[in-house]
Amino acid sequence: MSVEQIVAIVDPISSGAGLAAVFHRQGVKTVAVMNPGLPTCLSSSFRPSDFIQVIHYNGNLDETVGVLSTLGLCAVVAGSEPGVELADALSERLSLRTNGTRQSDARRNKYHMQEALRAAKVRAIGQFQSENVEELVAWAENYDNYPVVVKPVRSAGTDGVSLCYSSEDIRKAYDAIISKPNLLGEVNTWVLVQEYLRGIEYVVDTVSRDGQHHVAGYWCYDKRRINGSAFVYYGLTLLESQGEIQDALKKYIFTVLDVLGIRNGPAHSEIMMTPTGPCLVETGARMMGDKGPSMTSAAVGYGQLELTADVYLNGSFFAEVLGKPYVLKKYVHESFFVSQTQGLLKQSFPLTKFKSMPAYFSHAFLVEAGTVLEKTIDLMTSPGRIVWIHESKDVIRACEDALREMEENGMYELLQDGEEALTQAKVSPREALNDVPMTA
């Protein structure tokens, strides 16, 4: 007689919302553990019907461990960035597969993450953190290599990230961060200033089991200076699994994972390939956000979703693919919409036209006719995105070019423009990021 298997997923939102279905296909039931205070832009992707029980964590670890210990769990998995530390604590207390709590903070806190690398003599970013803006300015002036990057110590995406060319820029960026809630619903009590890394930014998505690491996907970001912001998402491309750049990224990130104690489960790492080699921007001990894992699965046949579920079960599929380069069956590119105007949008985006394009795979539109379109300055203010998947790079490139031409020729036509429109919004992109899922 087989024993019923149950997995607890902590904060199954964003890409983690897709984990339950993967476990279900393996005959495994799922329980959700939800942290308090998650902002609507994240929690709206949570699907309670995927779980046999939803447990709301109230800050009492002993109480939650007691509840979970009665369920006979086989694993506790972090479903998203906010759930990383709680998943570490629960899995450790329940004596399940875990990364442990000793380095949990270094896996969430961007300052401590870089300092852990520096202590291990691994290339890390020059940096300083403080609650005091004048201390941040003093460090930057002494560093004497503008521009510098100012960001929250704990957040995600490009939330609150500014490129600063002067002490006055630093003060403005500090004021926009300190004591404000970040994307993950936490209040920023510290601000971080870092050296500005020059080079091309890559993503390496990995999955680990018992300290053995496997690359599930290499990606390349296209971020541009637009609307006065230095870090506007423009595109994201899944790369081939082999090459000189990939080899350097893999060697570096496997060392980073070891330093940060990521021995089990997924990791999503952003790395700048500088003239002197790779340098970590940050690592999250969770899957790539949004639809990244499902994009990889569509192009390769499997990805972080499938491998993450497997490493917490019997690990047989992980053992089968460990060390083997993935093969792209199709090419993947995600286009982020970029608006250079703001106001009330006159008409919704032409979905029928997009769906008629040969590489169309899925979309998420975050504004519609009559709602406020903001100038795009970060991921949260991008008004939409489309995933293109096709056997031909040229076909994808043509679809991307067609989108950009539409952006320049009326796609963002306004009923009303300017600041007045921003006060009349039915909904804004920041509030709706996950209210509109990526759909085909």
Side-chain angles (χ1 to χ4, degrees):
M1 182 177 178
S2 62
V3 178
E4 181 179 69
Q5 290 185 295
I6 303 175
V7 170
I9 306 175
V10 183
D11 293 336
I13 55 178
S14 185
S15 59
L19 266 176
V22 181
F23 280 116
H24 295 168
R25 290 198 290 270
Q26 301 294 322
V28 179
K29 295 183 178 179
T30 51
V31 169
V33 180
M34 301 299 294
N35 267 303
L38 293 174
T40 301
C41 68
L42 295 177
S43 62
S44 58
S45 60
F46 174 52
R47 299 193 291 260
S49 60
D50 286 346
F51 302 92
I52 60 172
Q53 187 174 349
V54 177
I55 298 167
H56 294 279
Y57 181 63
N58 62 6
N60 188 325
L61 185 64
D62 290 338
E63 180 180 307
T64 304
V65 168
V67 172
L68 292 176
S69 65
T70 67
L71 301 177
L73 298 178
C74 64
V76 176
V77 185
S80 60
E81 185 70 17
V84 167
E85 289 166 302
L86 182 55
D88 287 344
L90 291 172
S91 57
E92 183 177 70
R93 286 283 299 274
L94 292 165
S95 299
L96 299 170
R97 184 174 300 280
T98 185
N99 288 321
T101 57
R102 188 174 67 86
Q103 292 175 279
S104 281
D105 182 64
R107 293 191 284 267
R108 282 291 325 276
N109 183 298
K110 301 177 194 300
Y111 176 79
H112 293 155
M113 182 180 297
Q114 295 290 338
E115 292 308 303
L117 296 185
R118 200 178 330 278
K121 302 188 185 308
V122 177
R123 170 71 162 100
I125 298 176
Q127 62 175 3
F128 179 75
Q129 69 167 352
S130 180
E131 302 167 288
N132 184 296
V133 66
E134 295 308 321
E135 291 182 353
L136 296 172
V137 168
W139 182 88
E141 294 291 331
N142 184 62
Y143 180 66
D144 194 27
N145 189 15
Y146 280 104
V148 294
V149 175
V150 174
K151 62 169 69 171
V153 169
R154 292 164 62 104
S155 191
T158 52
D159 177 41
V161 180
S162 297
L163 189 62
C164 299
Y165 291 84
S166 65
S167 59
E168 185 58 31
D169 286 349
I170 293 174
R171 292 186 178 93
K172 289 179 181 177
Y174 173 90
D175 288 341
I177 294 170
I178 197 71
S179 300
K180 307 290 196 310
N182 62 33
L183 175 62
L184 303 180
E186 304 166 335
V187 175
N188 297 314
T189 56
W190 291 78
V191 176
L192 181 60
V193 58
Q194 294 181 326
E195 71 169 296
Y196 173 57
L197 297 175
R198 291 168 173 82
I200 298 175
E201 187 174 0
Y202 294 90
V203 167
V204 183
D205 289 331
T206 56
V207 180
S208 305
R209 181 179 167 94
D210 296 332
Q212 292 185 300
H213 311 303
H214 178 76
V215 176
Y218 295 99
W219 302 79
C220 186
Y221 272 130
D222 181 0
K223 294 180 183 178
R224 304 190 182 188
R225 298 171 185 263
I226 300 173
N227 294 326
S229 175
F231 306 105
V232 173
Y233 285 80
Y234 200 80
L236 178 65
T237 302
L238 181 63
L239 305 178
E240 301 278 3
S241 62
Q242 294 178 285
E244 185 177 345
I245 294 293
Q246 290 88 330
D247 290 345
L249 291 170
K250 181 169 71 171
K251 181 179 180 180
Y252 175 79
I253 200 57
F254 282 8
T255 301
V256 169
L257 297 176
D258 289 340
V259 170
L260 297 178
I262 301 177
R263 293 178 48 80
N264 293 290
H268 172 68
S269 304
E270 298 176 347
I271 304 167
M272 191 69 74
M273 185 59 76
T274 74
T276 58
C279 183
L280 185 73
V281 177
E282 59 190 56
T283 287
R286 40 79 180 177
M287 295 188 301
M288 184 180 191
D290 197 35
K291 300 302 176 182
S294 59
M295 290 159 58
T296 307
S297 298
V300 176
Y302 65 91
Q304 269 190 318
L305 275 168
E306 295 79 9
L307 288 168
T308 295
D310 184 74
V311 299
Y312 285 103
L313 298 177
N314 61 32
S316 58
F317 182 55
F318 178 81
E320 180 184 332
V321 302
L322 181 63
K324 297 178 182 177
Y326 62 81
V327 177
L328 290 182
K329 298 176 181 178
K330 296 181 180 180
Y331 298 104
V332 179
H333 179 80
E334 184 171 19
S335 298
F336 298 89
F337 291 11
V338 177
S339 167
Q340 300 192 49
T341 188
Q342 64 183 27
L344 293 180
L345 190 65
K346 183 174 182 178
Q347 58 188 5
S348 296
F349 300 138
L351 178 57
T352 301
K353 186 168 185 177
F354 288 130
K355 283 190 171 183
S356 70
M357 296 182 183
Y360 170 85
F361 179 75
S362 62
H363 72 279
F365 296 160
L366 308 180
V367 295
E368 59 185 5
T371 61
V372 163
L373 174 74
E374 297 182 67
K375 286 185 178 180
T376 305
I377 58 171
D378 54 20
L379 180 60
M380 304 304 294
T381 49
S382 172
R385 53 200 186 276
I386 290 182
V387 174
W388 314 105
I389 298 182
H390 200 272
E391 294 86 353
S392 168
K393 289 182 181 179
D394 291 338
V395 170
I396 290 178
R397 189 175 298 109
C399 292
E400 159 88 1
D401 290 345
L403 164 64
R404 300 307 175 190
E405 185 176 349
M406 292 165 66
E407 285 188 310
E408 294 176 3
N409 292 284
M411 196 170 92
Y412 300 133
E413 186 178 359
L414 304 176
L415 281 169
Q416 181 181 355
D417 60 16
E419 293 296 327
E420 182 181 352
L422 297 179
T423 66
Q424 300 178 19
K426 294 179 184 177
V427 66
S428 76
R430 287 183 188 275
E431 295 163 343
L433 181 63
N434 285 299
D435 289 338
V436 185
M438 187 75 82
T439 55

